[in-house]
Every structure is written in C-alpha cells, then in structure tokens.
Amino acid sequence: MPRTRHEPSDGALESVLAEQNRGKGKHIIDVLTALVLNSRDGALLPSERVLAERFGVARMTVRGSIDALETKGMVRRVPGRGTFVQHPTLTHSEIFRSFSEDMRMRGMTPGAKSYRSRTRPATRTVAANLGIAAGEPTHYIERIRTADEIPMALERTNLAAARFPTLLDVLGRDDSLYDILGRAFGVRLESARQTVTIARLTATEAKRLEVAEDSPAFLIERISVDNMGKVVEFGRSLYRGDRYAIQMRVSPPTQGG
C-alpha cells in the first residue's frame, strides 16, 4: 500500500527514536552522575539489568551511559564484579597557581562555601611568617573551596591589613584571592614556599569537607611571595586525602668537579 504524505518515512521514524534514546541517555547520565557524587569511593553501582528496569530502557542504553561516566573517570568496571564509583584524584604539583586557576585548567568550576573572614591581631607565628610585628592587624580568611560543587579543601590564610586595608570589602565568597589582589591592589603573586604534612581531620573539619571523621588530609602550609620578593600571605590549608596526590620533582645531587 502506498504511504500517504502524512505518514512518517522509516528514516524519519528512526531519527525520532534515536533522538528519544539520546534524551533518555542524557537523563540516565545525569542521575548516575548525582549518584556517584553522593556515594563513597569504591561503592558498587546497581547492575545494568537493574538500571535498565529502573529507567525502562534497553540495557544497551544504560551501557552507553556508564561508558560516558567511565570516560570521565567517575566509575571503573571490574569484569565479573560490576561497576564501582571512582572519585577523581587531583595532582597537587609544584606549579604555582591559585585554587581557582588550577580547577579551571582541569575543566572544573571553582567555588566556595562556609566563608568566614575577619580582621584580628597577628599571633607570633602569623606575624613572623608575614614579616610584621605581633599584634598588628591581619585579615583572616577561611572557606571551603569546591570544584564542581564538591568540597576539596579547607582553606585558611592570613594577610597584613595595613597592606590590603579594603580586602575583606572587595573579596567575595567565590572569588579567587589572587585575582582580587591583582585587580584591586596591583599585586602579582610569583612564587610560594610550601610544607606538606599528613593530618587527621577533626570531627568538625571532616563534616565541613563531607568526609568521615578522622579521615587523612594533606596539611599544606604556604607562604606566598610577590614579584618584588615581599611576603603576601601565610596560610595553612587542609586538602582531602581521598581527592589529592602530591607530585614533586626529584633530581640527583650535583656532581662536584
């Protein structure tokens, strides 16, 4: 029987079905992404069969969605055992850059929450590292730094209030501190001295970073210096041990002549 002009061709029908499948696939990816981000590292995902029944789609559609997550490094497949949540590990390298810049270069969106700031007298330790007298006013900034809305680090830093008097007025919760120092005060950060140690998170710190109490973390003490050789900030920040790896370059000693 000849096809009427109101009936879709086989090609058009296939195109519509393909578009529907793409839409279902994106929905499944979005749901599974949320599941992965809210699951512990190493958690077992439901099987393809269970997911196919849950979403009312073919297993091939589910498999394609899981393939997409695997490509992003969010899950790993183990033959005969299933698919497991895999939280990405970020390398904290020797390259000096701000948290915001580092996350953007990784294709992630930097942000912050739990922002606190105040001006207070410098303790002896803070004063010695900033090169000022004990008791002089300093700006203290504390916030949870996030990447794609996931807590990554508890950042705490101190700056001399005399040098940056209006800093707390112009720095927003999600702003890059280094960007603000450049735009508002003409300061260009050039290098930093860092010391890395291992720490155990307190119950309060763990809750703020959304990890288990007593989880390991990298405690990074940083003294940042501008292009004139002047100390700009002194801070001690906690980076999640399950999200970071420390990278360093090791060279053999110089041979004497």
Side-chain angles (χ1 to χ4, degrees):
M1 178 182 238
R3 192 189 306 272
T4 69
R5 65 179 181 175
H6 299 294
E7 293 178 329
S9 65
D10 292 340
L13 181 58
E14 289 177 1
S15 178
V16 170
L17 292 175
E19 186 62 33
Q20 288 178 342
N21 285 334
R22 279 194 292 271
K24 290 179 180 178
K26 184 181 183 307
H27 172 66
I28 295 171
I29 290 172
D30 290 342
V31 172
L32 292 181
T33 296
L35 176 63
V36 166
L37 293 178
N38 287 284
S39 299
R40 63 175 177 80
D41 191 37
L44 178 65
L45 290 183
S47 67
E48 290 181 2
R49 179 183 60 80
V50 170
L51 290 172
E53 292 176 355
R54 164 67 178 79
F55 290 107
V57 297
R59 288 181 63 173
M60 188 63 68
T61 301
V62 170
R63 189 169 302 156
S65 300
I66 293 176
D67 286 343
L69 295 186
E70 188 175 31
T71 299
K72 295 179 179 179
M74 300 181 71
V75 300
R76 58 186 175 87
R77 284 189 173 100
V78 179
R81 295 183 57 196
T83 303
F84 297 84
V85 172
Q86 178 173 274
H87 291 162
T89 299
L90 306 182
T91 301
H92 193 93
S93 70
E94 296 175 330
I95 300 173
F96 178 62
R97 59 172 67 103
S98 70
F99 178 90
S100 297
E101 181 186 6
D102 189 34
M103 292 305 108
R104 291 191 190 102
M105 291 187 68
R106 299 174 192 272
M108 307 174 81
T109 302
K113 61 181 182 178
S114 188
Y115 176 81
R116 304 170 184 174
S117 66
R118 64 183 183 275
T119 302
R120 63 184 188 181
T123 63
R124 289 184 179 180
T125 298
V126 170
N129 283 285
L130 287 179
I132 61 177
E136 286 192 32
T138 57
H139 296 317
Y140 172 74
I141 301 165
E142 177 182 307
R143 53 185 171 172
I144 298 294
R145 299 311 310 267
T146 63
D148 290 345
E149 300 184 357
I150 301 171
M152 303 296 286
L154 171 52
E155 186 179 82
R156 299 177 174 122
T157 195
N158 305 268
L159 302 93
R163 186 177 181 187
F164 309 108
T166 60
L167 175 61
L168 301 188
D169 297 325
V170 296
L171 178 68
R173 186 194 68 179
D174 297 321
D175 289 335
S176 164
L177 173 62
Y178 292 178
D179 286 349
I180 294 298
L181 290 175
R183 293 202 306 267
F185 302 97
V187 171
R188 181 165 64 87
L189 279 293
E190 189 167 90
S191 64
R193 300 190 299 273
Q194 292 190 159
T195 302
V196 182
T197 55
I198 303 299
R200 291 283 177 181
L201 297 174
T202 66
T204 300
E205 292 167 343
K207 183 177 181 180
R208 295 178 69 188
L209 286 171
E210 300 179 12
V211 296
E213 183 179 343
D214 209 34
S215 293
F218 291 111
L219 173 59
I220 300 181
E221 184 175 286
R222 171 184 279 194
I223 299 174
S224 300
V225 179
D226 64 17
N227 60 318
M228 301 301 290
K230 296 181 179 179
V231 173
V232 173
E233 65 160 343
F234 165 66
R236 286 178 174 150
S237 300
L238 291 165
Y239 286 74
R240 285 176 52 169
D242 63 333
R243 292 286 186 171
Y244 276 90
I246 302 296
Q247 181 185 70
M248 61 186 67
R249 185 177 295 108
V250 180
S251 303
T254 303
Q255 298 296 322

